[in-house]
Amino acid sequence: MAIAQRSIAQKNMFGHPQGVRQDLGFETALRLVLIAGTNERLFSVNEDTKTVVNTLRLLVLKWYSFDNALDACLYFGHYFYAYQSHSQYAVKLLMEQSRFVVPHADKVVPNKAGLALIDTLPQPRWYKSVDGLGDKLSSIFIETADLAHVDAQVSGVQIHFKKSNHYDLRAPLFVRADAIETPQVLNDKVIVRCPHCSQKCRGNYFRHIEITCPKCQGHWSQRM
C-alpha cells in the first residue's frame, strides 16, 4: 500500500485509478497479506469480504501506530474507502485464489488473541447529527458529504470520504442503521442514551452538548 501511494496519480491505459495497484504490484502485496492473515487465523477463506476488509483496516491502523509510514494508511483510505466496490471485489477474487495455499476453512479456529491485539479501539457508539455521523466514545465525526445511505439487504451508511479525502481509518467502511442513534428532541430538551450503560439521559438542546450519566457517571459529548 505504501508503494502504491507513491504513484497514486498514475492511470492505467484505460484511465482507471484502480490500475495503480496492478502497475505497482499492489495486488501481489495484497495477496501476500491475505495469505498471511489467513495463516495467522485472523480470517478464513470463507469469511465475508467486508469482514476481511475491516480486518485489513485494523491492521493498517496498527501498522501506523507502530510509527511506520503514513503512505500505507493513505492508500488504504484512497482505495478501500473511495472505491469500495472495486476493492472488495479484488479482495474477494484474491481470497478465492488463496484457497489452495491456506488451511481449509472448516478446520480453522479463529485466533482470538491476534484479533484482540489489532482491535484495540472501543466499540463505537454512533449517533446521527444534523451535519453527519459521530461516535460518542471518540473524536470520530464524518460529514454528511462523506456518507452514502444504503438500503440493500442490510440498510445503513457507507463511509467513503470522497468529498473531504480526510480518511479516518478509525471509522469502518459501513455502519448498520440499527447501530446509529437518532437523538430525541422535546421542548428544547434532548434525550440520548449513555454509551457506557445505555441509560436514557436528558439534557438541554445546544449545538454541542456534554452529558454526564446519572446512573454510571459516564461523561461524553456529541454534536446535534
Side-chain angles (χ1 to χ4, degrees):
M1 292 183 190
I3 295 173
Q5 165 62 19
R6 294 171 192 169
S7 297
I8 201 171
Q10 289 185 5
K11 309 291 183 182
N12 65 6
M13 61 185 297
F14 301 107
H16 296 305
Q18 289 77 25
V20 175
R21 62 182 173 84
Q22 299 169 348
D23 298 341
L24 301 179
F26 173 66
E27 189 170 295
T28 300
L30 181 58
R31 180 185 290 108
L32 294 175
V33 171
L34 291 173
I35 292 175
T38 307
N39 286 331
E40 290 294 329
R41 296 178 287 114
L42 299 179
F43 41 74
S44 71
V45 290
N46 290 335
E47 200 84 60
D48 175 70
T49 304
K50 291 182 179 180
T51 302
V52 175
V53 172
N54 188 61
T55 303
L56 290 176
R57 174 182 66 86
L58 295 173
L59 281 169
V60 173
L61 197 58
K62 179 62 68 174
W63 165 266
Y64 178 63
S65 71
F66 289 153
D67 294 326
N68 287 300
L70 180 62
D71 290 350
C73 298
L74 291 175
Y75 191 77
F76 184 97
H78 168 75
Y79 186 60
F80 284 93
Y81 281 103
Y83 300 99
Q84 291 194 28
S85 59
H86 293 279
S87 60
Q88 290 182 19
Y89 182 69
V91 169
K92 181 180 179 180
L93 286 180
L94 291 173
M95 290 295 287
E96 290 177 351
Q97 295 170 10
S98 302
R99 291 178 182 274
F100 303 103
V101 293
V102 297
H104 293 292
D106 55 352
K107 299 179 180 179
V108 173
V109 177
N111 183 357
K112 295 182 179 180
L115 290 170
L117 181 64
I118 63 173
D119 191 5
T120 56
L121 298 174
Q123 188 67 25
R125 295 294 182 266
W126 299 106
Y127 67 89
K128 184 179 180 181
S129 167
V130 174
D131 299 327
L133 188 69
D135 175 26
K136 297 179 183 179
L137 297 179
S138 72
S139 59
I140 301 175
F141 190 85
I142 301 99
E143 302 288 344
T144 302
D146 287 329
L147 302 171
H149 292 277
V150 178
D151 290 316
Q153 293 180 340
V154 179
S155 60
V157 176
Q158 187 181 73
I159 301 174
H160 53 69
F161 293 114
K162 289 183 179 180
K163 179 66 175 180
S164 67
N165 290 324
H166 294 160
Y167 306 114
D168 189 339
L169 266 66
R170 296 175 300 167
L173 281 71
F174 181 81
V175 180
R176 294 172 59 102
D178 56 12
I180 303 173
E181 178 191 36
T182 300
Q184 301 177 36
V185 180
L186 299 170
N187 300 325
D188 296 328
K189 297 289 184 179
V190 60
I191 300 175
V192 294
R193 288 192 178 275
C194 173
H196 306 285
C197 69
S198 298
Q199 170 72 25
K200 282 189 175 182
C201 303
R202 182 190 302 267
N204 294 322
Y205 182 89
F206 292 105
R207 187 69 185 83
H208 184 97
I209 63 173
E210 293 190 10
I211 295 180
T212 299
C213 176
K215 181 179 179 181
C216 71
Q217 302 305 308
H219 184 80
W220 78 96
S221 62
Q222 65 182 79
R223 305 186 194 185
M224 296 302 297

